[in-house]
Amino acid sequence: MLGLKLATDPFWVNIAEKSIDEILTDHAYCEQKAATNSINLVVNYPDIPELVDAMLELAREELSHFQMVHEKIKERNFVLGRERRDEYVFELNTFIRKGHSREIVLADRLLFSALVEARSCERFKVLSENISDPDLREFYRELMISEANHYTLFIALAKKYAQGVDIDKRWQEFLDFEASIIGKFGKKETIHG
């Protein structure tokens, strides 16, 4: 369904489990950044009412996910650590075309967002199937479903509002680019790392 060209090695869960406090902190900030991304789309495209409505709703959901992760952190007597740079997202962001028409940039920003959600969904699936903690297993299964919905939302918005762009072709280009960089990741106690 997601179309990702390189799957996460289930061994990554072993890395995550050794530093569950780190993975939860990183996950919390991923949710915060997703909310910020949604707000940025509102700021940059205020003239598209359906997009604004969808992004406002998504921002609220992402912040609720941040709160849910923070609750998991507190339940385990951890504290929310400091935010770290997401190298995966930083590299993926370089594929967004800049200096092009507003429609092309919108298409790329929506596809970039879809891809981040797709990879997060895939990582949550790996966690839900392989992590030993039953509470976190269920937690990540539920979030996996949510991430899948976000992925499809961004694809649908790209197809609707970037009509001058071949979205299917550009999506394949994003998937190819992501495949070229994802091999460097999956070795750290971060959601994308």
Side-chain angles (χ1 to χ4, degrees):
M1 172 186 104
L2 300 171
L4 299 172
K5 298 192 174 192
L6 186 60
T8 295
D9 185 336
F11 176 75
W12 168 75
V13 174
N14 297 335
I15 296 167
E17 283 190 304
K18 288 178 186 170
S19 299
I20 204 65
D21 59 328
E22 294 292 323
I23 203 83
L24 287 169
T25 288
D26 186 68
H27 177 190
Y29 285 114
C30 286
E31 299 292 356
Q32 175 268 316
K33 290 172 192 169
T36 300
N37 180 59
S38 297
I39 295 298
N40 286 336
L41 284 164
V42 169
V43 169
N44 287 297
Y45 298 93
D47 55 320
I48 307 174
E50 183 185 0
L51 177 72
V52 170
D53 290 343
M55 291 303 99
L56 290 174
E57 184 176 327
L58 184 58
R60 281 190 293 274
E61 185 177 340
E62 299 289 14
L63 283 176
S64 76
H65 291 172
F66 180 95
Q67 185 174 16
M68 291 165 57
V69 178
H70 189 236
E71 290 302 318
K72 294 292 177 194
I73 290 169
K74 293 188 307 184
E75 286 170 11
R76 288 163 173 71
N77 294 314
F78 301 144
V79 294
L80 180 64
R82 294 203 175 267
E83 179 184 4
R84 289 168 268 170
R85 178 170 151 153
D86 189 328
E87 294 295 332
Y88 165 82
V89 169
F90 179 79
E91 284 200 43
L92 192 59
N93 187 55
T94 66
F95 200 64
I96 295 175
R97 295 173 285 189
K98 300 177 178 69
H100 287 267
S101 74
R102 195 165 183 262
E103 191 171 58
I104 287 174
V105 175
L106 173 60
D108 278 11
R109 290 195 64 194
L110 292 170
L111 293 176
F112 159 84
S113 300
L115 193 45
V116 172
E117 296 287 351
R119 182 55 71 183
S120 297
C121 177
E122 189 258 359
R123 290 282 167 100
F124 292 170
K125 182 177 189 293
V126 170
L127 284 168
S128 74
E129 293 173 347
N130 298 287
I131 201 164
S132 58
D133 182 315
D135 177 56
L136 290 178
R137 215 177 245 265
E138 181 59 25
F139 181 65
Y140 281 109
R141 188 190 71 72
E142 290 174 18
L143 287 176
M144 171 191 69
I145 295 165
S146 183
E147 300 299 298
N149 290 333
H150 300 169
Y151 150 76
T152 58
L153 170 67
F154 282 116
I155 295 286
L157 289 170
K159 287 182 175 182
K160 184 167 186 176
Y161 292 109
Q163 294 178 358
V165 179
D166 184 340
I167 295 300
D168 292 331
K169 178 177 183 273
R170 187 63 178 155
W171 177 241
Q172 288 307 310
E173 292 168 356
F174 262 95
L175 289 170
D176 290 341
F177 181 75
E178 199 259 1
S180 76
I181 65 169
I182 195 63
K184 296 187 273 185
F185 302 99
K187 300 165 185 68
K188 291 183 183 176
E189 63 284 344
T190 61
I191 293 297
H192 300 122

